[in-house]
Amino acid sequence: TRRYGGMCAKAGLAMLCAGRFPEAESWLRGALAYKTVDWRTHGFLAETLLCLSRPKEAFAEMDRALPAAPDDEAGQVVAWRGAFDLWLGRYESAVKRFDEALLLGAPYALGWRAGALLKLGRPAQALKQLDTALALFPRDLEAYVWRGEAKRALGLNREALKDLNEPTLSDPDRETPIWLWALFNRALAKAALGDRAGLKSDFNAIPAHIRDHIRRKTGHEDMVKILEAGLELSRGFRREEYKQAIWMG
């Protein structure tokens, strides 16, 4: 029974990562029916439901994950739940969740908490927390993106470029789509520095379907306005490709 539950969970995660959300839901619900899989299966099902534009069900699934997790992993559940709030633009709620996660021993929530602070218009506080987060986790590419975004918000565009180069240079084959959000911010930093060629190069490196989605939503044609609008439309989302449906759906 445990073996079959695990097989269903792996199939569900594969479907989720492939963007095949209805199939992912079916497999993950099948895995949970075996009652032998761990709490992360609830989390992946919750992500699937978010991608299917069913946030109420997603939050309910995360509520089921918490009692299924061992005590020493409760902070991970709460941090993941906070990430949902961050992605959906519920920034005050996200900060509260991340505070709870930190108290429960999930220090990686610090980078996400800083992202929520930045979205709440507190870039100086966000920058301070991101410095701490990257001291703890120096290979956290998402934190580099958030720190570059915070520095850009403070007008520190040359410093921002150093952080924003990290995700793109660390991922030259673009296997981890954190580079996408580095490109958005890097292009805007270059624009602020008068580097029109750099702006155009980074703008054109963003997948066409994402640029076109923002154009359709906003009617903008100017590169800078499209980039700025993209960072607003995506709310607190700076994650993997398969989850783009959370803000593009």
Side-chain angles (χ1 to χ4, degrees):
T1 301
R2 181 176 297 276
R3 177 186 175 190
Y4 290 124
M7 289 171 63
C8 288
K10 288 179 181 178
L13 180 56
M15 293 297 103
L16 173 60
C17 293
R20 295 162 62 175
F21 306 125
E23 292 164 270
E25 180 183 3
S26 179
W27 278 108
L28 291 167
R29 289 196 186 281
L32 289 168
Y34 283 99
K35 303 185 184 301
T36 58
V37 293
D38 71 10
W39 64 268
R40 291 172 183 81
T41 305
H42 288 284
F44 290 128
L45 176 56
E47 282 195 351
T48 301
L49 294 167
L50 271 190
C51 291
L52 288 167
S53 301
R54 291 153 59 187
K56 186 175 180 179
E57 292 176 67
F59 288 126
E61 200 60 44
M62 286 308 292
D63 288 342
R64 296 184 189 101
L66 188 56
D71 289 346
D72 62 351
E73 294 181 359
Q76 297 178 46
V77 183
V78 175
W80 201 350
R81 171 64 171 76
F84 285 13
D85 284 323
L86 177 61
W87 301 340
L88 294 175
R90 302 174 183 181
Y91 305 125
E92 293 283 4
S93 177
V95 170
K96 292 176 183 177
R97 295 283 181 179
F98 295 139
D99 284 343
E100 183 183 353
L102 289 165
L103 287 173
L104 289 169
Y108 61 84
L110 201 59
W112 280 339
R113 186 182 191 278
L117 290 176
L118 178 57
K119 284 294 188 176
L120 287 167
R122 294 149 68 181
Q125 286 180 264
L127 180 56
K128 184 176 181 180
Q129 289 204 350
L130 286 160
D131 285 343
T132 302
L134 282 165
L136 291 170
F137 305 104
R139 300 309 305 154
D140 183 350
L141 298 184
E142 186 179 0
Y144 277 107
V145 172
W146 280 120
R147 191 168 72 172
E149 195 164 329
K151 288 178 179 178
R152 193 175 57 75
L154 291 166
L156 305 172
N157 289 292
R158 292 194 186 280
E159 290 186 35
L161 287 177
K162 295 176 184 177
D163 283 334
L164 297 167
N165 282 335
E166 189 70 26
T168 51
L169 293 174
S170 298
D171 188 22
D173 296 323
R174 295 179 181 171
E175 294 176 357
T176 308
I178 302 298
W179 63 268
L180 172 65
W181 305 104
L183 287 174
F184 268 87
N185 279 286
R186 196 172 73 174
L188 287 169
K190 289 177 178 178
L193 292 168
D195 181 2
R196 189 73 181 176
L199 161 65
K200 186 175 182 180
S201 176
D202 281 349
F203 180 83
N204 288 334
I206 294 169
H209 74 279
I210 293 177
R211 289 182 273 131
D212 290 344
H213 174 81
I214 298 167
R215 285 192 181 99
R216 287 193 300 271
K217 285 283 188 180
T218 65
H220 293 322
E221 289 296 333
D222 176 76
M223 287 186 290
V224 169
K225 288 184 177 180
I226 289 171
L227 292 163
E228 290 174 340
L231 291 175
E232 286 301 311
L233 288 170
S234 61
R235 301 182 291 263
F237 184 87
R238 301 291 181 271
R239 298 295 297 173
E240 295 91 346
E241 181 72 26
Y242 71 86
K243 298 177 193 169
Q244 303 288 4
I246 293 172
W247 71 275
M248 292 181 68

